[in-house]
Amino acid sequence: MIVKPTTYITTSWDDGHPLDLRVAELLTKYGLRGTFYIPMTAENGTMTAAQLRELSLVFEIGAHTLHHTVLTGATEQQAWQEIVGSRSWLENNTGLPCLMFCPPEGKYSGRHLAIAKKAGYVGVRGVELLSLDFPRRQAGLMLMPTTIQAFPHRFLAFAKNAIKRKALANLWLYVIHGRAAEWPAMAESLLRHAIDRGGVFHLWGHSWELQDASQWQRLKDVLCLMGSFVREAPALTNGQLCRLSMPSVTVLDQAAQAAKTAAAGG
């Protein structure tokens, strides 16, 4: 008997713009899960505290720093405040544990991972594209790549992304599934590849960017397609996938470490 490779579907959405609620409606309509990475403030505006709490009742909420701060341009103290403070702020507002962190613009260094681990996060979502990999263990955390962004990128953007993250093998997937195709066509091809070969299909984006680039209908079409595969490829949150990939470390272990760190004053 041939065992079919395991495939999962996940989505994530950055910046906490009020239009995230429109994304949430579409995810619910098509039976999908999502992780929303929300800062306290951001250049394009963020949802209200009431909207945040409403969203948290159905979807996972991840941290995205307090002020949408690019960590590579911050001091050590600023980075600590942004990473640790964002988790505390979200937990105080939602009453739920915050297990995932996403650095703005996907920019971070090893010292930021160390802070994230000390803060009690389970995983860190980056912006590596064209990956179908499960979260990878690094620095005591699970690092989560992505497959495709809900935005019309050209090949140069994918090439720069792969070079910067030393993931040149990902470009082979572009050769097979991308080329000059629009992102929805590439998404469909990559999703079907993941269903056949196994892995994680991870769609991500920004709701404000969907609005600016007039991508809502394309997003709806892709989410409808993804929803048609959930029986073959269950839809999970980013946090659920990270926990699946690190069975030796439980959420309780992480929470206990975070409490110990807080009690020790940092």
Side-chain angles (χ1 to χ4, degrees):
M1 178 179 177
I2 299 176
V3 179
K4 187 174 178 62
T6 302
T7 306
Y8 294 101
I9 289 172
T10 192
T11 73
S12 57
W13 309 93
D14 297 1
D15 295 359
H17 192 277
L19 283 170
D20 280 4
L21 298 177
R22 183 174 176 181
V23 174
E25 290 177 359
L26 290 173
L27 294 176
T28 300
K29 179 178 181 178
Y30 296 113
L32 299 170
R33 307 298 297 274
T35 299
F36 290 82
Y37 292 98
I38 300 178
M40 185 170 68
T41 64
E43 301 86 344
N44 293 300
T46 54
M47 65 183 70
T48 65
Q51 290 172 324
L52 168 60
R53 286 190 290 271
E54 177 187 351
L55 188 63
S56 72
L57 295 176
V58 182
F59 294 96
E60 179 179 44
I61 306 298
H64 201 42
T65 72
L66 282 172
H67 305 292
H68 201 245
T69 300
V70 177
L71 297 175
T72 50
T75 65
E76 189 81 12
Q77 182 178 5
Q78 288 171 335
W80 174 270
Q81 292 172 341
E82 292 288 335
I83 296 170
V84 178
S86 57
R87 185 171 192 257
S88 298
W89 172 73
L90 284 171
E91 292 184 341
N92 289 338
N93 275 275
T94 66
L96 298 169
C98 175
L99 305 177
M100 296 295 300
F101 175 69
C102 175
E105 298 184 12
K107 295 180 179 179
Y108 63 88
S109 67
R111 65 190 177 95
H112 301 128
L113 293 182
I115 294 173
K117 182 177 185 301
K118 200 170 184 180
Y121 293 104
V122 169
V124 173
R125 201 223 75 196
V127 294
E128 176 186 330
L129 295 168
L130 297 173
S131 175
L132 296 173
D133 292 349
F134 280 82
R136 310 154 183 155
R137 187 73 179 268
Q138 183 177 328
L141 294 163
M142 301 308 297
L143 300 189
M144 189 161 203
T146 71
T147 307
I148 193 163
Q149 184 179 357
F151 187 80
H153 287 301
R154 295 183 180 276
F155 170 73
L156 184 59
F158 289 104
K160 288 181 176 179
N161 182 278
I163 293 170
K164 186 174 183 179
R165 289 161 181 82
K166 300 179 181 179
L168 294 179
N170 290 356
L171 288 180
W172 180 242
L173 284 178
Y174 182 89
V175 171
I176 300 173
H177 303 281
R179 302 181 188 176
E182 296 285 350
W183 76 263
M186 193 188 313
E188 178 176 358
S189 184
L190 286 164
L191 175 57
R192 293 185 183 279
H193 182 85
I195 297 295
D196 291 339
R197 305 288 183 88
V200 175
F201 178 83
H202 186 165
L203 172 71
W204 77 282
H206 306 91
S207 60
W208 60 265
E209 195 171 51
L210 291 166
Q211 181 73 13
D212 289 351
S214 302
Q215 298 295 304
W216 286 107
Q217 184 58 51
R218 290 178 172 183
L219 175 67
K220 183 178 179 180
D221 293 342
V222 171
L223 294 182
C224 180
L225 175 70
M226 292 169 65
S228 70
F229 281 103
V230 292
R231 288 190 177 183
E232 298 174 72
L236 301 179
T237 66
N238 287 187
Q240 288 173 327
L241 279 164
C242 284
R243 290 194 294 272
L244 273 178
S245 302
M246 54 184 304
S248 62
V249 179
T250 67
V251 175
L252 290 177
D253 293 332
Q254 293 289 319
Q257 179 59 43
K260 182 178 178 181
T261 299

